[in-house]
Amino acid sequence: MIKDDCIFCKLANGIFDTNTVYEDEDFRVILDIEPASRGHALVLPKKHFANALEADDETLGAAMKLAARTGRALKEAFGCDGINILQNNGEAAGQTVFHLHVHVIPRWEKDTVQFEYKKNSFSDEEMKATAADIGKYM
Ligand code: 5GP
Ligand code: ZN
Protein backbone atom coordinates (compact mmCIF):
# COMPACT_ATOMS: atom_id res chain seq x y z
CA MET A 1 0.00 0.00 0.00
CA ILE A 2 2.56 2.60 1.19
CA LYS A 3 6.10 2.32 -0.15
CA ASP A 4 8.65 3.22 2.51
CA ASP A 5 11.03 5.10 0.23
CA CYS A 6 8.32 6.94 -1.75
CA ILE A 7 7.94 10.66 -1.03
CA PHE A 8 4.48 10.88 -2.62
CA CYS A 9 3.23 8.02 -0.40
CA LYS A 10 4.27 10.20 2.55
CA LEU A 11 2.69 13.35 1.12
CA ALA A 12 -0.54 11.59 0.09
CA ASN A 13 -0.96 9.96 3.49
CA GLY A 14 -0.24 13.06 5.56
CA ILE A 15 3.10 11.83 6.95
CA PHE A 16 4.77 14.94 5.49
CA ASP A 17 3.13 18.39 5.37
CA THR A 18 1.53 19.56 2.15
CA ASN A 19 -0.56 22.43 0.87
CA THR A 20 -3.69 20.32 0.59
CA VAL A 21 -6.54 21.39 -1.66
CA TYR A 22 -8.71 18.35 -1.07
CA GLU A 23 -8.58 15.01 0.72
CA ASP A 24 -10.78 11.92 0.92
CA GLU A 25 -10.27 8.29 1.88
CA ASP A 26 -8.40 7.39 -1.31
CA PHE A 27 -6.84 10.62 -2.62
CA ARG A 28 -5.14 13.85 -1.68
CA VAL A 29 -4.85 16.84 -4.01
CA ILE A 30 -1.87 19.06 -3.21
CA LEU A 31 -0.09 22.05 -4.68
CA ASP A 32 3.02 21.24 -6.71
CA ILE A 33 6.15 22.51 -4.94
CA GLU A 34 7.51 23.96 -8.20
CA PRO A 35 4.33 25.06 -9.99
CA ALA A 36 4.18 25.73 -13.72
CA SER A 37 1.56 28.35 -12.86
CA ARG A 38 -0.30 29.55 -9.75
CA GLY A 39 -2.55 26.75 -8.52
CA HIS A 40 -0.69 23.88 -10.28
CA ALA A 41 -2.08 20.88 -8.41
CA LEU A 42 -1.22 17.19 -8.20
CA VAL A 43 -3.82 14.45 -7.71
CA LEU A 44 -2.23 11.69 -5.61
CA PRO A 45 -3.77 8.31 -4.78
CA LYS A 46 -2.99 7.29 -1.19
CA LYS A 47 -2.14 3.81 -2.42
CA HIS A 48 1.20 3.38 -4.17
CA PHE A 49 1.31 2.74 -7.92
CA ALA A 50 4.47 3.57 -9.88
CA ASN A 51 2.46 5.18 -12.68
CA ALA A 52 -0.79 4.96 -14.67
CA LEU A 53 0.27 1.82 -16.51
CA GLU A 54 0.63 0.00 -13.19
CA ALA A 55 -2.58 1.26 -11.56
CA ASP A 56 -5.98 -0.45 -11.44
CA ASP A 57 -8.89 0.84 -13.52
CA GLU A 58 -10.86 2.04 -10.51
CA THR A 59 -8.01 4.23 -9.27
CA LEU A 60 -7.35 5.59 -12.74
CA GLY A 61 -11.00 6.46 -13.31
CA ALA A 62 -11.28 8.14 -9.92
CA ALA A 63 -8.01 10.04 -10.48
CA MET A 64 -9.26 11.46 -13.79
CA LYS A 65 -12.60 12.46 -12.26
CA LEU A 66 -10.79 14.18 -9.42
CA ALA A 67 -8.45 15.93 -11.85
CA ALA A 68 -11.46 17.34 -13.74
CA ARG A 69 -13.07 18.39 -10.44
CA THR A 70 -9.81 20.12 -9.46
CA GLY A 71 -9.77 21.84 -12.86
CA ARG A 72 -13.31 23.15 -12.30
CA ALA A 73 -12.28 24.42 -8.84
CA LEU A 74 -9.24 26.18 -10.32
CA LYS A 75 -11.45 27.86 -12.93
CA GLU A 76 -13.80 29.07 -10.20
CA ALA A 77 -10.92 30.22 -7.98
CA PHE A 78 -8.80 32.01 -10.54
CA GLY A 79 -10.90 32.42 -13.68
CA CYS A 80 -8.16 30.84 -15.75
CA ASP A 81 -8.69 30.45 -19.50
CA GLY A 82 -7.84 26.75 -19.72
CA ILE A 83 -6.56 23.74 -17.81
CA ASN A 84 -3.96 21.15 -18.77
CA ILE A 85 -4.51 17.71 -17.26
CA LEU A 86 -1.38 15.68 -17.85
CA GLN A 87 0.39 12.67 -16.52
CA ASN A 88 3.87 11.22 -17.17
CA ASN A 89 4.80 7.53 -17.23
CA GLY A 90 8.48 6.57 -17.11
CA GLU A 91 11.66 8.59 -17.01
CA ALA A 92 11.77 8.92 -20.81
CA ALA A 93 8.31 10.51 -20.65
CA GLY A 94 9.38 13.08 -18.07
CA GLN A 95 8.28 11.27 -14.92
CA THR A 96 10.51 12.25 -12.00
CA VAL A 97 8.50 10.93 -9.04
CA PHE A 98 7.54 7.30 -9.42
CA HIS A 99 4.17 7.35 -7.65
CA LEU A 100 1.11 7.89 -9.86
CA HIS A 101 0.12 11.54 -10.01
CA VAL A 102 -1.97 13.69 -12.33
CA HIS A 103 -0.96 17.30 -12.96
CA VAL A 104 -3.73 19.89 -13.13
CA ILE A 105 -2.29 23.13 -14.48
CA PRO A 106 -4.21 26.38 -14.81
CA ARG A 107 -3.52 28.22 -18.06
CA TRP A 108 -3.99 31.81 -19.14
CA GLU A 109 -4.01 33.17 -22.70
CA LYS A 110 -0.63 34.78 -22.10
CA ASP A 111 1.32 32.68 -19.63
CA THR A 112 4.84 31.28 -19.49
CA VAL A 113 3.92 27.57 -19.53
CA GLN A 114 5.31 25.63 -22.48
CA PHE A 115 4.77 22.06 -23.65
CA GLU A 116 6.47 21.59 -26.99
CA TYR A 117 7.22 18.75 -29.33
CA LYS A 118 8.28 18.60 -32.95
CA LYS A 119 5.44 17.40 -35.15
CA ASN A 120 6.31 14.44 -37.37
CA SER A 121 4.69 13.15 -40.53
CA PHE A 122 4.21 9.53 -41.68
CA SER A 123 2.84 8.11 -44.91
CA ASP A 124 -0.68 6.61 -45.00
CA GLU A 125 0.92 3.18 -45.25
CA GLU A 126 3.08 3.76 -42.18
CA MET A 127 0.09 5.11 -40.22
CA LYS A 128 -2.00 2.03 -41.11
CA ALA A 129 0.83 -0.32 -40.10
CA THR A 130 1.36 1.60 -36.85
CA ALA A 131 -2.33 1.38 -35.90
CA ALA A 132 -2.31 -2.36 -36.65
CA ASP A 133 0.88 -2.93 -34.61
CA ILE A 134 -0.70 -1.31 -31.54
CA GLY A 135 -4.11 -2.85 -32.11
CA LYS A 136 -2.68 -6.36 -31.76
CA TYR A 137 -2.03 -5.70 -28.08
CA MET A 138 -5.29 -3.93 -27.17
P1 5GP B 1 6.59 14.37 -12.84
O1 5GP B 1 7.76 15.02 -13.52
O2 5GP B 1 7.02 13.09 -12.14
O3 5GP B 1 5.40 14.18 -13.72
O4 5GP B 1 6.10 15.40 -11.73
C1 5GP B 1 6.61 15.45 -10.46
C2 5GP B 1 6.12 16.76 -9.85
O5 5GP B 1 6.21 16.65 -8.45
C3 5GP B 1 6.97 17.96 -10.26
O6 5GP B 1 6.13 18.94 -10.87
C4 5GP B 1 7.57 18.46 -8.95
O7 5GP B 1 7.63 19.85 -8.88
C5 5GP B 1 6.62 17.87 -7.91
N1 5GP B 1 7.25 17.56 -6.63
C6 5GP B 1 8.41 16.88 -6.44
N2 5GP B 1 8.67 16.76 -5.12
C7 5GP B 1 7.64 17.37 -4.47
C8 5GP B 1 7.35 17.59 -3.08
O8 5GP B 1 8.09 17.20 -2.19
N3 5GP B 1 6.19 18.25 -2.80
C9 5GP B 1 5.34 18.70 -3.77
N4 5GP B 1 4.25 19.34 -3.39
N5 5GP B 1 5.60 18.53 -5.09
C10 5GP B 1 6.73 17.87 -5.43
ZN1 ZN C 1 4.22 5.98 -3.40
Side-chain angles (χ1 to χ4, degrees):
M1 283 288 182
I2 295 183
K3 199 164 171 277
D4 279 344
D5 61 350
C6 174
I7 177 136
F8 276 13
C9 276
K10 294 190 167 72
L11 299 179
N13 289 282
I15 295 161
F16 291 165
D17 274 352
T18 52
N19 289 303
T20 294
V21 169
Y22 171 84
E23 183 187 5
D24 64 24
E25 206 181 314
D26 301 316
F27 287 91
R28 186 185 294 266
V29 182
I30 67 170
L31 292 184
D32 194 295
I33 202 166
E34 289 184 321
S37 61
R38 182 180 177 222
H40 178 171
L42 300 172
V43 174
L44 309 179
K46 292 187 175 181
K47 207 170 151 186
H48 182 86
F49 300 97
N51 59 40
L53 309 189
E54 308 277 330
D56 61 64
D57 286 354
E58 194 188 335
T59 302
L60 285 175
M64 184 48 94
K65 274 192 197 166
L66 193 47
R69 181 172 166 186
T70 305
R72 287 191 289 270
L74 285 164
K75 280 199 121 177
E76 288 294 327
F78 302 133
C80 44
D81 302 313
I83 299 282
N84 288 113
I85 293 178
L86 61 92
Q87 196 277 316
N88 301 321
N89 300 282
E91 203 172 341
Q95 187 176 9
T96 58
V97 180
F98 297 92
H99 174 120
L100 171 62
H101 54 280
V102 181
H103 296 261
V104 187
I105 304 175
R107 300 298 307 273
W108 283 266
E109 296 295 347
K110 289 196 171 94
D111 66 25
T112 58
V113 183
Q114 285 184 342
F115 306 110
E116 282 184 14
Y117 60 90
K118 182 183 158 288
K119 292 187 191 306
N120 293 290
S121 175
F122 295 95
S123 69
D124 283 352
E125 206 173 68
E126 287 168 323
M127 293 292 269
K128 279 194 176 65
T130 299
D133 283 345
I134 303 163
K136 275 188 277 195
Y137 298 99
M138 296 296 286

